Amino acid sequence: MLINTPTEPVLAWQETALCAQAGPEFFFPAPGSSTREAKQLCNACEGRVACLEYALDNDERFGVWGGLSEKERDRLRRAGRDRA
């Protein structure tokens, strides 16, 4: 039986993402810790937009994704709902 799978790499951005070179604690800091360094790395990454879209599409609630913290992504989600 042949299974139809997409041929385009949907998550290709993960292979070249700068976060792959840093540990998870960098992007998932302890509560109250700074996210500044993680955001700086994200802002230099070519995959930032795809990463943010992934986080929003998959309701990632923790950590820095696409250069935004949990609170910033939540504000972005709410702003989108308010416009709809």
Side-chain angles (χ1 to χ4, degrees):
M1 183 168 140
L2 183 62
I3 298 174
N4 188 11
T5 57
T7 55
E8 67 182 75
V10 176
L11 299 177
W13 59 270
Q14 289 183 343
E15 294 176 13
T16 58
L18 295 177
C19 59
Q21 301 170 21
E25 65 279 352
F26 198 71
F27 295 92
F28 296 91
S33 297
S34 176
T35 59
R36 182 180 305 151
E37 291 175 343
K39 289 179 179 182
Q40 287 175 339
L41 190 61
C42 288
N43 287 331
C45 183
E46 292 179 12
R48 187 181 81 75
V49 172
C51 176
L52 179 57
E53 288 174 356
Y54 173 85
L56 293 171
D57 290 346
N58 292 282
D59 199 27
E60 291 290 348
R61 296 185 184 237
F62 302 101
V64 175
W65 291 81
L68 298 181
S69 69
E70 300 98 336
K71 290 180 183 178
E72 292 165 328
R73 288 192 310 278
D74 189 46
R75 277 189 233 126
L76 189 61
R77 280 187 201 98
R78 280 188 269 137
R81 283 193 304 250
D82 291 343
R83 284 188 220 137

Coordinates of all heavy atoms in Angstrom, one line a residue:
M1 N 0.8 -1.2 0.0 CA 0.0 0.0 0.0 C 0.9 1.2 0.0 O 1.8 1.4 0.8 CB -0.9 0.0 1.2 CG -1.8 1.1 1.3 SD -3.0 0.8 2.6 CE -3.2 2.4 3.3
L2 N 0.6 2.2 -0.9 CA 1.4 3.4 -1.0 C 0.8 4.5 -0.2 O -0.4 4.7 -0.3 CB 1.4 3.8 -2.5 CG 2.3 5.0 -2.8 CD1 3.7 4.8 -2.5 CD2 2.2 5.4 -4.3
I3 N 1.6 5.1 0.6 CA 1.1 6.2 1.4 C 1.5 7.5 0.8 O 2.7 7.7 0.5 CB 1.6 6.1 2.9 CG1 1.2 4.8 3.5 CG2 1.2 7.3 3.7 CD1 1.8 4.5 4.9
N4 N 0.5 8.4 0.6 CA 0.8 9.7 0.0 C 1.4 10.6 1.1 O 0.7 11.0 2.0 CB -0.5 10.3 -0.6 CG -0.2 11.5 -1.4 OD1 0.9 11.8 -1.7 ND2 -1.3 12.2 -1.7
T5 N 2.6 11.0 0.8 CA 3.3 11.9 1.8 C 3.7 13.2 1.0 O 4.1 13.1 -0.2 CB 4.5 11.3 2.4 OG1 5.4 10.9 1.4 CG2 4.1 10.2 3.3
P6 N 3.7 14.3 1.6 CA 4.2 15.5 0.9 C 5.6 15.4 0.5 O 6.4 14.9 1.3 CB 3.9 16.7 1.9 CG 3.6 16.0 3.2 CD 3.3 14.6 3.0
T7 N 5.9 15.9 -0.7 CA 7.3 15.9 -1.1 C 8.1 17.1 -0.7 O 9.3 17.1 -0.7 CB 7.4 15.7 -2.7 OG1 6.6 16.8 -3.2 CG2 6.8 14.4 -3.1
E8 N 7.4 18.2 -0.4 CA 8.1 19.4 0.0 C 8.4 19.4 1.5 O 7.5 19.0 2.2 CB 7.4 20.7 -0.4 CG 6.1 20.9 0.3 CD 5.4 22.1 -0.2 OE1 4.8 22.1 -1.3 OE2 5.5 23.1 0.5
P9 N 9.6 19.8 1.9 CA 9.9 19.7 3.3 C 9.2 20.9 4.1 O 9.7 22.0 4.0 CB 11.4 19.8 3.4 CG 11.8 20.5 2.1 CD 10.7 20.1 1.1
V10 N 8.1 20.6 4.7 CA 7.3 21.6 5.4 C 8.1 22.3 6.5 O 8.0 23.4 6.8 CB 6.0 21.0 6.0 CG1 5.2 22.0 6.8 CG2 5.2 20.4 4.9
L11 N 9.0 21.5 7.2 CA 9.7 22.0 8.3 C 11.2 22.2 8.0 O 12.1 22.1 8.8 CB 9.6 21.1 9.5 CG 8.2 21.0 10.0 CD1 8.1 20.0 11.2 CD2 7.6 22.3 10.5
A12 N 11.5 22.5 6.7 CA 12.9 22.6 6.3 C 13.6 23.8 7.0 O 14.8 23.7 7.2 CB 13.0 22.9 4.8
W13 N 12.9 24.7 7.4 CA 13.5 25.9 8.2 C 14.2 25.4 9.4 O 15.2 26.0 9.9 CB 12.5 26.9 8.5 CG 11.3 26.4 9.4 CD1 10.2 25.9 8.9 CD2 11.3 26.4 10.8 NE1 9.4 25.6 10.0 CE2 10.0 25.8 11.2 CE3 12.2 26.8 11.8 CZ2 9.7 25.7 12.5 CZ3 11.8 26.6 13.1 CH2 10.6 26.0 13.4
Q14 N 13.8 24.3 10.0 CA 14.4 23.8 11.2 C 15.8 23.3 11.0 O 16.6 23.3 11.9 CB 13.5 22.6 11.8 CG 12.2 23.1 12.4 CD 11.4 22.0 13.0 OE1 11.7 20.8 12.8 NE2 10.5 22.4 13.9
E15 N 16.1 22.8 9.8 CA 17.4 22.3 9.5 C 18.5 23.3 9.5 O 19.6 23.1 9.8 CB 17.4 21.5 8.2 CG 16.5 20.3 8.2 CD 16.5 19.6 6.9 OE1 17.2 19.9 6.0 OE2 15.6 18.7 6.7
T16 N 18.1 24.6 9.1 CA 19.1 25.6 9.0 C 18.9 26.7 10.1 O 19.6 27.7 10.1 CB 19.0 26.3 7.6 OG1 17.7 26.8 7.5 CG2 19.4 25.3 6.5
A17 N 18.0 26.5 11.0 CA 17.7 27.5 12.0 C 18.8 27.6 13.0 O 19.5 26.6 13.3 CB 16.4 27.0 12.8
L18 N 19.1 28.8 13.4 CA 20.2 29.1 14.3 C 19.9 28.5 15.7 O 20.9 28.2 16.4 CB 20.4 30.6 14.4 CG 20.8 31.4 13.2 CD1 20.9 32.9 13.4 CD2 22.2 30.8 12.7
C19 N 18.7 28.3 16.0 CA 18.4 27.7 17.3 C 18.9 26.3 17.5 O 19.1 25.8 18.6 CB 16.9 27.8 17.6 SG 15.9 26.9 16.5
A20 N 19.1 25.6 16.3 CA 19.6 24.2 16.3 C 21.0 24.2 16.9 O 21.5 23.1 17.3 CB 19.6 23.6 14.9
Q21 N 21.7 25.3 16.9 CA 23.1 25.4 17.4 C 23.2 25.8 18.9 O 24.2 25.9 19.4 CB 23.9 26.4 16.5 CG 23.9 26.0 15.1 CD 24.4 27.1 14.2 OE1 25.2 28.0 14.7 NE2 24.1 27.1 13.0
A22 N 22.0 26.1 19.5 CA 22.0 26.5 20.9 C 21.1 25.5 21.6 O 20.3 24.8 21.1 CB 21.4 27.9 21.0
G23 N 21.3 25.4 22.9 CA 20.6 24.4 23.7 C 19.1 24.9 24.0 O 18.8 26.1 23.9
P24 N 18.2 24.0 24.3 CA 16.8 24.4 24.6 C 16.7 25.3 25.7 O 15.7 26.2 25.7 CB 16.2 23.0 24.8 CG 17.2 22.1 25.2 CD 18.5 22.6 24.5
E25 N 17.5 25.3 26.7 CA 17.4 26.2 27.8 C 17.6 27.7 27.4 O 17.1 28.6 28.1 CB 18.4 25.9 28.9 CG 19.9 26.1 28.5 CD 20.5 25.0 27.7 OE1 19.9 23.9 27.6 OE2 21.6 25.1 27.3
F26 N 18.2 27.9 26.3 CA 18.3 29.2 25.7 C 17.0 29.8 25.3 O 16.7 31.0 25.4 CB 19.3 29.1 24.5 CG 19.9 30.4 24.0 CD1 20.9 31.0 24.8 CD2 19.5 31.0 22.8 CE1 21.5 32.2 24.3 CE2 20.1 32.1 22.4 CZ 21.1 32.8 23.2
F27 N 16.1 29.0 24.7 CA 14.8 29.4 24.2 C 13.7 29.1 25.1 O 12.5 29.5 24.9 CB 14.6 28.7 22.8 CG 15.6 29.2 21.8 CD1 16.7 28.5 21.6 CD2 15.3 30.4 21.1 CE1 17.7 29.0 20.7 CE2 16.3 30.9 20.2 CZ 17.4 30.2 20.0
F28 N 14.0 28.3 26.2 CA 13.0 28.0 27.2 C 13.6 28.3 28.6 O 13.8 27.5 29.4 CB 12.6 26.5 27.1 CG 11.9 26.1 25.8 CD1 12.7 25.7 24.8 CD2 10.5 26.2 25.7 CE1 12.0 25.4 23.6 CE2 9.9 25.9 24.5 CZ 10.7 25.5 23.4
P29 N 13.8 29.6 28.8 CA 14.4 30.0 30.1 C 13.5 29.8 31.3 O 12.3 29.7 31.1 CB 14.7 31.5 29.8 CG 13.7 32.0 28.9 CD 13.5 30.8 28.0
A30 N 14.1 29.8 32.4 CA 13.4 29.7 33.7 C 12.5 30.9 33.8 O 12.8 32.0 33.3 CB 14.3 29.6 34.9
P31 N 11.3 30.7 34.5 CA 10.4 31.9 34.7 C 11.1 33.0 35.3 O 11.9 32.9 36.2 CB 9.3 31.3 35.6 CG 9.4 29.8 35.4 CD 10.8 29.5 35.1
G32 N 10.9 34.2 34.7 CA 11.5 35.4 35.2 C 12.8 35.7 34.6 O 13.4 36.8 34.8
S33 N 13.4 34.8 33.8 CA 14.7 35.0 33.2 C 14.5 35.8 31.9 O 13.5 35.8 31.3 CB 15.4 33.6 32.9 OG 15.6 32.9 34.0
S34 N 15.6 36.4 31.5 CA 15.6 37.2 30.3 C 15.5 36.3 29.0 O 16.1 35.3 28.9 CB 16.9 38.0 30.2 OG 16.9 38.8 29.0
T35 N 14.8 36.8 28.0 CA 14.7 36.2 26.7 C 15.4 37.0 25.7 O 15.4 36.7 24.5 CB 13.2 36.1 26.3 OG1 12.6 37.4 26.2 CG2 12.4 35.2 27.2
R36 N 16.1 38.0 26.1 CA 16.8 39.0 25.2 C 17.8 38.2 24.2 O 17.8 38.5 23.0 CB 17.6 40.0 26.0 CG 18.3 41.0 25.1 CD 19.0 42.1 25.8 NE 18.1 42.8 26.7 CZ 18.5 43.3 27.9 NH1 19.7 43.3 28.2 NH2 17.6 43.9 28.7
E37 N 18.6 37.4 24.8 CA 19.6 36.7 23.9 C 19.0 35.8 22.9 O 19.4 35.7 21.7 CB 20.6 35.9 24.8 CG 21.5 36.8 25.6 CD 22.4 36.0 26.5 OE1 22.2 34.9 26.8 OE2 23.4 36.6 27.0
A38 N 17.9 35.1 23.3 CA 17.2 34.2 22.4 C 16.6 35.0 21.3 O 16.6 34.7 20.1 CB 16.2 33.4 23.1
K39 N 16.0 36.1 21.6 CA 15.3 37.0 20.6 C 16.4 37.6 19.7 O 16.1 37.7 18.5 CB 14.6 38.1 21.3 CG 13.3 37.6 22.0 CD 12.6 38.8 22.7 CE 11.4 38.4 23.4 NZ 10.7 39.5 24.0
Q40 N 17.5 37.9 20.1 CA 18.6 38.4 19.3 C 19.0 37.4 18.3 O 19.2 37.7 17.1 CB 19.8 38.9 20.1 CG 19.6 40.2 20.8 CD 20.7 40.6 21.7 OE1 21.6 39.8 22.1 NE2 20.8 41.9 22.1
L41 N 19.1 36.1 18.7 CA 19.5 35.0 17.8 C 18.4 34.8 16.8 O 18.7 34.7 15.6 CB 19.8 33.8 18.6 CG 20.4 32.6 17.8 CD1 21.7 33.0 17.2 CD2 20.5 31.4 18.7
C42 N 17.2 34.8 17.2 CA 16.0 34.7 16.3 C 16.0 35.8 15.3 O 15.7 35.5 14.1 CB 14.7 34.7 17.1 SG 14.3 33.3 18.1
N43 N 16.3 37.0 15.7 CA 16.2 38.1 14.7 C 17.3 38.0 13.6 O 17.2 38.6 12.6 CB 16.3 39.4 15.4 CG 15.0 39.7 16.2 OD1 13.9 39.3 15.7 ND2 15.1 40.5 17.3
A44 N 18.3 37.2 13.9 CA 19.4 37.0 12.9 C 19.2 35.8 12.0 O 19.9 35.5 11.1 CB 20.8 36.9 13.6
C45 N 18.1 35.0 12.3 CA 17.8 33.8 11.7 C 16.9 33.9 10.5 O 15.9 34.6 10.5 CB 17.2 32.8 12.7 SG 16.9 31.2 12.0
E46 N 17.3 33.3 9.4 CA 16.5 33.3 8.1 C 15.2 32.6 8.3 O 14.2 32.9 7.6 CB 17.3 32.7 7.0 CG 18.5 33.5 6.5 CD 19.2 32.9 5.4 OE1 18.7 32.0 4.8 OE2 20.3 33.4 5.1
G47 N 15.1 31.7 9.2 CA 13.8 30.9 9.4 C 12.9 31.5 10.4 O 11.9 30.9 10.8
R48 N 13.1 32.8 10.8 CA 12.3 33.4 11.9 C 10.8 33.4 11.6 O 10.0 33.1 12.4 CB 12.8 34.8 12.2 CG 12.2 35.4 13.4 CD 12.7 36.8 13.6 NE 12.1 37.8 12.7 CZ 10.8 38.3 12.9 NH1 10.1 37.8 13.8 NH2 10.3 39.2 12.1
V49 N 10.5 33.8 10.4 CA 9.1 34.0 10.0 C 8.4 32.6 10.0 O 7.3 32.4 10.5 CB 8.9 34.7 8.7 CG1 7.5 34.7 8.2 CG2 9.4 36.1 8.8
A50 N 9.1 31.6 9.4 CA 8.5 30.3 9.3 C 8.4 29.7 10.7 O 7.4 29.0 11.0 CB 9.4 29.4 8.5
C51 N 9.3 30.0 11.6 CA 9.3 29.5 13.0 C 8.1 30.1 13.7 O 7.3 29.4 14.4 CB 10.6 29.9 13.7 SG 10.7 29.4 15.4
L52 N 7.9 31.4 13.5 CA 6.8 32.1 14.2 C 5.4 31.5 13.7 O 4.5 31.3 14.4 CB 6.8 33.6 14.0 CG 5.7 34.4 14.6 CD1 5.6 34.2 16.1 CD2 5.9 35.9 14.3
E53 N 5.3 31.3 12.4 CA 4.1 30.8 11.8 C 3.8 29.4 12.3 O 2.7 29.0 12.7 CB 4.2 30.7 10.3 CG 4.1 32.1 9.6 CD 4.4 32.0 8.1 OE1 4.7 30.9 7.6 OE2 4.3 33.1 7.5
Y54 N 4.9 28.6 12.5 CA 4.8 27.2 13.0 C 4.2 27.3 14.5 O 3.3 26.6 14.9 CB 6.1 26.5 13.0 CG 6.1 25.2 13.8 CD1 5.7 24.0 13.1 CD2 6.4 25.1 15.1 CE1 5.6 22.8 13.8 CE2 6.4 23.9 15.8 CZ 6.0 22.8 15.1 OH 5.9 21.6 15.8
A55 N 4.8 28.2 15.3 CA 4.4 28.4 16.7 C 2.9 28.8 16.8 O 2.2 28.3 17.6 CB 5.3 29.4 17.4
L56 N 2.5 29.7 15.9 CA 1.2 30.2 16.0 C 0.2 29.1 15.5 O -0.9 28.9 16.1 CB 1.0 31.5 15.1 CG 1.7 32.7 15.7 CD1 1.7 33.8 14.7 CD2 1.2 33.1 17.0
D57 N 0.6 28.4 14.4 CA -0.3 27.4 13.9 C -0.5 26.2 14.8 O -1.5 25.5 14.8 CB 0.3 26.8 12.5 CG 0.1 27.8 11.4 OD1 -0.6 28.8 11.6 OD2 0.8 27.6 10.4
N58 N 0.6 25.9 15.6 CA 0.6 24.8 16.5 C 0.4 25.1 18.0 O 0.6 24.3 18.9 CB 1.9 24.0 16.3 CG 1.9 23.3 15.0 OD1 1.3 22.3 14.7 ND2 2.7 24.0 14.1
D59 N 0.0 26.4 18.2 CA -0.4 26.8 19.6 C 0.7 26.5 20.6 O 0.5 26.1 21.7 CB -1.7 26.2 20.0 CG -2.3 27.0 21.2 OD1 -2.1 28.2 21.3 OD2 -3.1 26.4 21.9
E60 N 2.0 26.8 20.2 CA 3.1 26.7 21.1 C 3.0 27.7 22.2 O 2.9 28.9 21.9 CB 4.5 26.9 20.3 CG 4.8 25.8 19.4 CD 5.1 24.5 20.1 OE1 5.4 24.4 21.3 OE2 5.2 23.4 19.4
R61 N 2.9 27.3 23.4 CA 2.6 28.2 24.5 C 3.8 28.6 25.3 O 3.7 29.4 26.2 CB 1.5 27.7 25.4 CG 0.2 27.6 24.6 CD -0.9 27.1 25.5 NE -2.1 27.0 24.6 CZ -3.2 27.6 24.8 NH1 -3.3 28.4 25.8 NH2 -4.2 27.4 24.0
F62 N 4.9 27.9 25.1 CA 6.1 28.1 26.0 C 7.3 28.4 25.1 O 7.4 27.9 24.0 CB 6.4 26.9 26.8 CG 5.2 26.5 27.7 CD1 4.4 25.5 27.4 CD2 5.0 27.2 28.9 CE1 3.3 25.2 28.2 CE2 3.9 26.9 29.7 CZ 3.1 25.9 29.3
G63 N 8.2 29.2 25.6 CA 9.5 29.5 25.0 C 9.4 30.6 24.0 O 8.4 31.2 23.7
V64 N 10.6 30.9 23.4 CA 10.7 31.9 22.4 C 10.7 31.2 21.0 O 11.4 30.2 20.8 CB 12.1 32.6 22.5 CG1 12.3 33.6 21.4 CG2 12.1 33.4 23.9
W65 N 9.8 31.6 20.2 CA 9.6 31.1 18.8 C 9.5 32.3 17.9 O 8.7 33.2 18.1 CB 8.3 30.3 18.7 CG 8.3 29.0 19.5 CD1 8.1 28.8 20.8 CD2 8.6 27.7 18.9 NE1 8.2 27.5 21.1 CE2 8.5 26.8 20.0 CE3 8.9 27.2 17.6 CZ2 8.7 25.4 19.8 CZ3 9.0 25.9 17.5 CH2 9.0 25.0 18.5
G66 N 10.3 32.2 16.8 CA 10.2 33.3 15.8 C 10.5 34.7 16.4 O 10.1 35.7 15.9
G67 N 11.3 34.7 17.5 CA 11.7 36.0 18.1 C 10.6 36.6 19.1 O 10.8 37.7 19.5
L68 N 9.6 35.8 19.3 CA 8.6 36.3 20.3 C 8.4 35.4 21.5 O 8.5 34.2 21.3 CB 7.2 36.5 19.6 CG 7.1 37.4 18.4 CD1 5.7 37.4 17.8 CD2 7.6 38.8 18.8
S69 N 8.2 36.0 22.6 CA 7.9 35.3 23.9 C 6.5 34.8 23.9 O 5.7 35.1 23.0 CB 8.2 36.2 25.1 OG 7.2 37.2 25.1
E70 N 6.2 34.0 24.9 CA 4.8 33.5 25.1 C 3.8 34.6 25.1 O 2.8 34.6 24.4 CB 4.7 32.7 26.4 CG 5.6 31.5 26.5 CD 6.8 31.8 27.3 OE1 7.2 33.0 27.4 OE2 7.4 30.8 27.8
K71 N 4.1 35.6 25.9 CA 3.2 36.8 26.0 C 3.0 37.5 24.7 O 1.9 37.9 24.4 CB 3.6 37.7 27.1 CG 3.5 37.1 28.5 CD 4.0 38.1 29.6 CE 3.9 37.5 31.0 NZ 4.5 38.4 32.0
E72 N 4.1 37.7 24.0 CA 4.0 38.4 22.7 C 3.2 37.7 21.7 O 2.4 38.3 21.0 CB 5.4 38.7 22.2 CG 6.2 39.7 23.1 CD 7.7 39.7 22.8 OE1 8.3 38.7 22.5 OE2 8.3 40.8 23.0
R73 N 3.4 36.3 21.7 CA 2.6 35.5 20.7 C 1.1 35.6 21.1 O 0.3 35.6 20.2 CB 3.1 34.1 20.7 CG 4.4 34.0 19.9 CD 4.8 32.5 19.6 NE 4.7 31.6 20.8 CZ 5.6 31.5 21.7 NH1 6.8 32.1 21.6 NH2 5.4 30.6 22.7
D74 N 0.8 35.5 22.4 CA -0.5 35.6 22.9 C -1.2 36.9 22.4 O -2.3 36.9 22.0 CB -0.6 35.4 24.4 CG -2.0 35.2 24.9 OD1 -2.8 34.5 24.2 OD2 -2.4 35.9 25.9
R75 N -0.5 38.0 22.6 CA -1.0 39.3 22.2 C -1.2 39.4 20.7 O -2.2 39.9 20.2 CB 0.0 40.4 22.5 CG -0.1 40.9 24.0 CD 0.7 42.1 24.2 NE 1.6 41.8 25.4 CZ 2.9 41.9 25.4 NH1 3.6 42.4 24.4 NH2 3.5 41.6 26.5
L76 N -0.3 38.7 19.9 CA -0.5 38.7 18.5 C -1.7 37.9 18.1 O -2.5 38.3 17.2 CB 0.8 38.1 17.8 CG 0.9 38.1 16.3 CD1 0.9 39.5 15.8 CD2 2.2 37.4 15.9
R77 N -2.0 36.8 18.8 CA -3.2 35.9 18.5 C -4.4 36.7 18.8 O -5.4 36.7 18.0 CB -3.1 34.7 19.4 CG -2.3 33.6 18.9 CD -2.5 32.3 19.7 NE -1.4 31.4 19.6 CZ -0.4 31.3 20.4 NH1 -0.3 32.1 21.5 NH2 0.6 30.5 20.2
R78 N -4.4 37.4 20.0 CA -5.6 38.2 20.4 C -5.9 39.3 19.4 O -7.0 39.6 19.1 CB -5.5 38.7 21.8 CG -5.8 37.6 22.8 CD -5.8 38.1 24.2 NE -4.5 38.0 24.8 CZ -3.9 38.9 25.5 NH1 -4.4 40.0 25.8 NH2 -2.7 38.7 26.0
A79 N -4.8 40.0 19.0 CA -5.0 41.1 18.0 C -5.6 40.6 16.7 O -6.4 41.3 16.1 CB -3.6 41.8 17.8
G80 N -5.2 39.4 16.3 CA -5.8 38.8 15.1 C -7.2 38.5 15.2 O -8.0 38.6 14.3
R81 N -7.6 38.0 16.4 CA -9.0 37.7 16.7 C -9.8 38.9 16.7 O -11.0 38.9 16.3 CB -9.2 36.9 18.0 CG -8.8 35.4 17.9 CD -9.2 34.7 19.1 NE -8.7 35.2 20.3 CZ -7.8 34.7 21.1 NH1 -7.3 33.5 20.8 NH2 -7.4 35.3 22.2
D82 N -9.3 40.0 17.3 CA -10.0 41.2 17.4 C -10.3 41.8 16.0 O -11.3 42.5 15.8 CB -9.3 42.3 18.2 CG -9.2 41.8 19.7 OD1 -10.0 41.0 20.1 OD2 -8.3 42.4 20.4
R83 N -9.4 41.6 15.1 CA -9.6 42.1 13.7 C -10.6 41.3 12.9 O -11.2 41.8 12.0 CB -8.3 42.2 13.0 CG -7.4 43.3 13.4 CD -6.2 43.4 12.5 NE -5.1 43.7 13.4 CZ -3.9 43.1 13.3 NH1 -3.7 42.2 12.4 NH2 -2.9 43.4 14.1
A84 N -10.8 40.1 13.3 CA -11.7 39.2 12.5 C -13.1 39.5 12.7 O -13.6 40.1 13.6 CB -11.4 37.7 12.9

